[in-house]
Amino acid sequence: MVDPEVEPVVDERRASGRPVLLTVDDDPAVSRAVARDLRRRYGQEYRVLRAESGADALTALRELALRGEPVAAVLADYRMPQMDGVELLEQAMDLFPTARRVLLTAYADTSAAIRAINDVDLDHYLLKPWNPPEEKLYPVLDALLESWRAIPARPADEVAVIGDRWSARSFAVRDFLARNEVPYRWLLAGQPEADRLLSASGHDAATTRLPVVLAPGPGPGGPQVLVDPDDTALADHVGLSTRPQREFYDLAIVGGGPAGLGAAVYGASEGLRTVLVEEHATGGQAGQSSRIENYLGFPDGLSGAQLADRARRQVAKFGAETLAARSVTGLESAGGAHVVRFADGSSVAAHTVLLATGVSYRTLEGPGLEEFTGRGIYYGAALSEVGACADEDVFVVGAANSAGQSAVNLARSARSVTLLVRGPSIEASMSAYLVEQIRALGNVAVRTCTEVVSARGDEDGEGHLRSIVLRDRQSGQEHEVPATHVFVFIGAAPRTAWLEGTLQRDAHGFVVAGPDLHLEDGRPPGWALERAPYHLETSVPGVFVAGDARADSVKRVASAVGEGAMAVMLVHRYLAQS
């Protein structure tokens, strides 16, 4: 039951609009102690509810969800009969996806708790007892609640996406919203509610081009109806910033992956007027990782989305601007200024520029493979599609860490996961900890010396993937296998085509910098300064590069963050000498 001495869920008179903290423990004495500590610290701002079983907790959460009341955090004991804490938190995530999830464990359960954190996207675990709470409980919850409050307060039904299940553009819209942490409702065209919303907005369900997004407008007047919007229009209407607030900056960062986010934090915290420009969503490829376990300082691992969320909040905390959904098409330099030009003709200017554009996954080549992109074939983790893979036979193409992390994540819900690898093994390109995890999973198979050569669709006209053709690279034999979901992680191509003719790149398109530049008399051709380029400086003075887009860089999150920080130090040096 839910404890009435704390605050009864069913008492409408007490529902003051305060967010809820729910604690769940089958030991009544422990449960009361947890609730007491929570009330003492957070009772003025939050409603504290207490349940003594997973079933009671889920009942309470469902009632809160029906009434539209916010839940900030759920703290669940690991060992409970019928439903343990991990199972409860997994189900709570479906009801309140943004609520912070904390597992309460005894010292003897630490190893099991760590494994659970790696297997489920938990936010933290706490050892019982935690006396004094001022040292061992409150600092953890303070940080988690701060991150929860930082999420824009948009009710999930404020944004609705109406589209076709197998439409590539519908998938792209959902993926954009998910990666930018914008809550939304997904409605299939033809469903009664979808048709009702379209009719109410003045659109004919039979003839309107999909997807349609119903979103809060930038001003009064009710929901705005966006028919097949581009990313910039979509970002504008869901509250993301797309336009610079200044005319000139000290530092403009192109790319919002770990290198760009690291540079934005260090630049803004050190007083530089900083703007970060991102085309898709901050976090880059790392932001799509289901679990990063080898990043320094996070022994229990964290998801790419968690890392990106924390970095975004740091960027905002220090006052750097972030521009979303802006496609960069050119870079011009004149005097002491650099101008970054956008696809819509607008621009942003700065004393210095950092190129942190990262890389994109290479695409599969062969009949049908391009046709079914976004309709069964997905590049990257495609987090908005993971839920559709439950009890399915899923394929992951690739042999590096991103592929391994995706395979482990998908294995939690898919019936089977087959890792397709061109080479003879995964050991040469994948971290040892991931290799061990994959070997321990009973529903993950690794097929080496195998490549995807073509894809075929259904025969009922819906236009989605039904099968792929695999080729054995040793024997040359081909055979067709049923497939509805294929996630591709094959190599990396730098996102630098827009820099053609502007600065030095290598044969693969990676930006060359510092001592790797082609030099004439100790300086790059056309270099106007007497000094040699700094370590991360490109062939254009004042333009730097960091992270995966740099030639011969180390493709790791930690090195990208480090290069972003180093670039800011070099920016200071450049500005001091200009």
Side-chain angles (χ1 to χ4, degrees):
M1 60 175 287
V2 176
D3 184 12
E5 77 176 34
V6 179
E7 187 142 4
V9 168
V10 295
D11 188 349
E12 296 286 354
R13 295 168 299 176
R14 303 279 301 276
S16 62
R18 289 176 295 162
V20 168
L21 302 179
L22 175 63
T23 175
V24 191
D25 198 305
D26 64 315
D27 185 325
V30 173
S31 181
R32 284 192 292 269
V34 175
R36 182 190 64 239
D37 286 343
L38 293 180
R39 287 200 307 274
R40 183 183 304 154
R41 175 81 165 198
Y42 306 106
Q44 294 298 315
E45 296 181 60
Y46 297 87
R47 299 172 58 206
V48 179
L49 304 179
R50 175 166 75 86
E52 294 182 2
S53 73
D56 286 344
L58 285 177
T59 298
L61 289 170
R62 291 189 184 104
E63 291 180 3
L64 292 167
L66 286 173
R67 294 208 301 270
E69 297 189 41
V71 174
V74 180
L75 295 80
D77 183 53
Y78 177 63
R79 291 199 178 194
M80 292 189 295
Q82 284 82 51
M83 180 187 299
D84 66 30
V86 176
E87 294 172 319
L88 167 61
L89 291 173
E90 283 187 284
Q91 296 188 50
M93 184 166 59
D94 294 333
L95 294 167
F96 292 95
T98 65
R100 292 336 191 204
R101 299 171 296 280
V102 181
L103 196 65
L104 309 178
T105 72
Y107 182 78
D109 295 325
T110 300
S111 297
I114 291 174
R115 287 196 300 272
I117 290 173
N118 289 335
D119 292 341
V120 183
D121 195 14
L122 305 181
D123 293 294
H124 213 283
Y125 76 91
L126 289 170
L127 291 176
K128 301 184 299 184
W130 46 57
N131 290 327
E134 289 76 13
E135 295 180 10
K136 299 182 178 180
L137 172 64
Y138 298 150
V140 171
L141 283 183
D142 285 348
L144 292 178
L145 293 174
E146 180 186 357
S147 70
W148 179 81
R149 288 193 298 267
I151 299 173
R154 303 183 187 98
D157 62 354
E158 256 189 3
V159 178
V161 180
I162 302 171
D164 185 340
R165 172 70 183 87
W166 298 108
S167 158
R169 183 56 193 158
S170 294
F171 160 73
V173 166
R174 291 189 295 131
D175 197 55
F176 178 86
L177 294 174
R179 291 184 61 191
N180 283 284
E181 295 193 334
V182 177
Y184 67 93
R185 283 190 300 157
W186 167 236
L187 301 172
L188 287 173
Q191 291 181 333
E193 185 176 4
D195 291 348
R196 178 183 62 79
L197 287 174
L198 286 174
S199 177
S201 65
H203 289 74
D204 188 321
T207 59
T208 301
R209 188 171 71 253
L210 300 176
V212 171
V213 179
L214 281 72
Q224 304 294 307
V225 181
L226 310 177
V227 177
D228 191 15
D230 61 29
D231 286 352
T232 302
L234 185 59
D236 280 333
H237 283 79
V238 298
L240 301 176
S241 176
T242 62
R243 294 172 178 79
Q245 298 175 14
R246 300 174 183 266
E247 294 184 358
F248 200 82
Y249 296 84
D250 297 314
L251 172 62
I253 302 167
V254 183
L261 290 167
V265 168
Y266 282 97
S269 67
E270 295 171 10
L272 298 178
R273 295 170 297 174
T274 303
V275 61
L276 184 149
V277 180
E278 170 55 43
E279 182 176 5
H280 300 295
T282 50
Q285 283 189 344
Q288 299 183 70
S289 297
S290 56
R291 176 64 54 178
I292 302 171
E293 296 186 57
N294 57 354
Y295 188 49
L296 184 66
F298 294 89
D300 304 324
L302 78 168
S303 69
Q306 288 175 318
L307 181 62
D309 174 63
R310 295 178 185 188
R312 274 194 294 265
R313 288 188 282 112
Q314 281 183 294
V315 168
K317 171 184 175 181
F318 290 116
E321 291 180 39
T322 299
L323 306 184
R326 301 314 305 260
S327 177
V328 177
T329 58
L331 173 65
E332 300 173 5
S333 301
H338 303 284
V339 178
V340 176
R341 299 212 173 274
F342 302 139
D344 64 356
S346 62
S347 63
V348 64
H351 285 300
T352 60
V353 171
L354 174 64
L355 304 174
T357 51
V359 295
S360 57
Y361 293 112
R362 298 187 186 278
T363 57
L364 294 169
E365 296 183 359
L369 293 170
E370 182 179 358
E371 176 186 351
F372 293 106
T373 298
R375 294 187 290 160
I377 296 177
Y378 307 97
Y379 290 89
L383 299 179
S384 61
E385 281 297 311
V386 171
C389 296
D391 300 321
E392 295 281 338
D393 297 315
V394 180
F395 292 85
V396 175
V397 184
N401 280 5
S402 296
Q405 290 163 348
S406 181
V408 171
N409 183 45
L410 288 165
R412 297 175 190 141
S413 58
R415 179 168 53 212
S416 71
V417 178
T418 302
L419 196 59
L420 303 176
V421 180
R422 284 173 54 89
S425 72
I426 59 175
E427 284 81 1
S429 54
M430 190 178 295
S431 295
Y433 78 92
L434 276 171
V435 174
E436 293 175 1
Q437 288 183 18
I438 288 171
R439 285 176 175 167
L441 292 170
N443 62 338
V444 177
V446 179
R447 293 187 56 168
T448 57
C449 300
T450 301
E451 59 186 352
V452 181
V453 295
S454 64
R456 297 169 184 170
D458 62 340
E459 298 178 356
D460 57 14
E462 292 184 13
H464 60 275
L465 181 71
R466 286 298 186 189
S467 66
I468 54 177
V469 176
L470 306 180
R471 175 188 294 154
D472 186 306
R473 302 189 71 225
Q474 293 179 318
S475 67
Q477 294 183 341
E478 297 182 0
H479 67 282
E480 185 175 358
V481 296
T484 57
H485 289 86
V486 178
F487 298 87
V488 185
F489 306 82
I490 52 169
R495 299 165 60 189
T496 61
W498 58 280
L499 292 168
E500 176 68 32
T502 302
L503 43 72
Q504 281 190 32
R505 299 183 299 155
D506 67 11
H508 303 288
F510 292 93
V511 177
V512 182
D516 297 325
L517 287 165
H518 172 67
L519 305 179
E520 296 177 359
D521 298 326
R523 287 176 291 182
W527 186 265
L529 305 180
E530 294 185 2
R531 64 167 177 84
Y534 297 135
H535 182 68
L536 298 177
E537 196 168 18
T538 70
S539 57
V540 176
V543 177
F544 300 83
V545 63
D548 290 358
R550 184 176 67 83
D552 296 324
S553 64
V554 179
K555 305 299 189 287
R556 289 290 185 269
V557 174
S559 62
V561 173
E563 286 190 9
M566 183 189 299
V568 171
M569 181 267 291
L570 298 175
V571 165
H572 280 295
R573 187 181 301 175
Y574 173 86
L575 293 174
Q577 296 180 359
S578 298

